[in-house]
Amino acid sequence: GLAAGTSSSQGTVNIDKSHTKNVYIKGGGCIGNLSGPSNGTISNSYAIDGIVIGAGDAGGFKSCSAGSTLKNCFSNISMYGGNAVGAFTGDDYGNNSFTNCYTSGIVEGKTDVGGFTGMSNAKISSNYSNCYSTAITGMEHSTGNLGGFIGAANGYVNFNPCYAAGEVGKLAGTTTNTGGFSGNNAGNVANCYYDKQMSGMREVPGKAGVIGKTTKGLTGKDTAYFSTDANWVCKDSLYPQLKVFADRD
C-alpha cells in the first residue's frame, strides 16, 4: 500500500508518521496494507478501513517481517488470505521487534491464522512487547492453527506482555489447534492474557504465562497485570489501552 517489495528482494525501508486509509490491496503472497516485505523501522504509523486479499504470508498492516522494528503502530483492516495470515502481520521470519502495537478488524485464512500474527518461522528471536489484538479470527474458512494473537508460534518467539480479546474459531465445522491466545500453544510467554468468554477458547492446560480471563476480569480500572504497568491505561468497562495512544485522546 505504501512500501512494496517481494519475499526475495527485501530492502531496508524506514517509515515514520505515515498511514493508509481506504486502501484495497489484492495480490499473491507477502502483501500488506501499509508495507510489503522490508527490513528497517516502522514507527508512529497506522492502516485503517482497508482490505487485503492475498495468498499467504500476508498481513493487514505488514506482510512478512524479518529484521524489522515496529513501534507505536496500529491497524484496523479486513484481511483475507491463505496460509500464514494475520490481522497485523503475516509471517514472522525472525529478528523482529514489535512494541506498543495493536490491531482490530477481521482476519480470515486457511491455516496458521492469528489475530495479530499468522505464524512464526523465526530462526532468530523475535519479541512482542505491549501488543494486543481484538480482531475477529478465522470464523468462516479456517481449518487449523487459529489463535487470538498468533496462529502458530515456535521456540524463537517471545511475548511479554500481550493480550487477545477477539472471537476465535469456525462458526460451523471443526478446526485443529485453536486457542484464545496461540493456536498451537507454543512460544515463550509471560504476562499474557486472553478473554475466554469472547474467544470461547482455552489454552492447553499447563501452558505457563498464558491466562484466560472473563471479560470482567480483563476490563476495567483494576485489570490483572495491566493496571500496574505504566505502559498501559485501564478505564472502566474497557480493555487495557496502550498509553502511547491513550495520551492522544
Side-chain angles (χ1 to χ4, degrees):
L2 185 66
T6 68
S7 59
S8 59
S9 63
Q10 298 189 54
T12 299
V13 177
N14 297 316
I15 300 172
D16 184 46
K17 297 179 181 177
S18 300
H19 75 274
T20 60
K21 184 176 181 179
N22 297 322
V23 172
Y24 174 91
I25 303 289
K26 183 177 181 180
C30 284
I31 60 174
N33 201 271
L34 188 126
S35 173
S38 64
N39 303 319
T41 298
I42 303 177
S43 56
N44 306 306
S45 298
Y46 63 90
I48 59 172
D49 301 335
I51 298 174
V52 177
I53 301 175
D57 293 4
F61 185 81
K62 190 176 189 294
S63 60
C64 322
S65 293
S68 298
T69 296
L70 289 90
K71 184 176 182 179
N72 303 342
C73 296
F74 66 91
S75 67
N76 186 349
I77 297 292
S78 297
M79 172 72 238
Y80 304 95
N83 302 328
V85 293
F88 193 82
T89 189
D91 203 334
D92 179 346
Y93 291 158
N95 195 27
N96 296 304
S97 174
F98 298 87
T99 305
N100 295 340
C101 296
Y102 76 90
T103 188
S104 56
I106 299 170
V107 56
E108 287 283 354
K110 294 180 180 178
T111 61
D112 303 327
V113 182
F116 194 95
T117 298
M119 71 177 298
S120 171
N121 270 321
K123 297 298 186 288
I124 304 174
S125 291
S126 283
N127 298 296
Y128 295 75
S129 178
N130 299 323
C131 295
Y132 71 91
S133 172
T134 59
I136 299 171
T137 303
M139 303 300 288
E140 293 289 340
H141 307 293
S142 302
T143 59
N145 285 349
L146 314 180
F149 194 91
I150 187 167
N154 65 15
Y156 290 92
V157 61
N158 309 296
F159 308 94
N160 181 20
C162 300
Y163 77 85
E167 296 178 70
V168 183
K170 204 170 183 179
L171 291 173
T174 59
T175 61
T176 58
N177 295 338
T178 304
F181 188 85
S182 170
N184 69 343
N185 204 34
N188 305 305
V189 186
N191 303 311
C192 290
Y193 299 82
Y194 66 98
D195 187 328
K196 61 184 178 181
Q197 285 181 283
M198 179 63 73
S199 70
M201 298 297 161
R202 63 181 179 85
E203 300 302 315
V204 176
K207 177 62 178 176
V210 179
I211 301 173
K213 290 284 188 179
T214 62
T215 301
K216 183 178 180 180
L218 199 54
T219 58
K221 290 183 178 180
D222 298 319
T223 303
Y225 180 82
F226 299 100
S227 61
T228 61
D229 187 322
N231 294 298
W232 298 83
V233 173
C234 295
K235 300 179 180 180
D236 284 337
S237 303
L238 297 178
Y239 290 110
Q241 301 173 11
L242 289 165
K243 190 176 189 297
V244 65
F245 299 113
D247 283 349
R248 300 176 186 178
D249 294 345

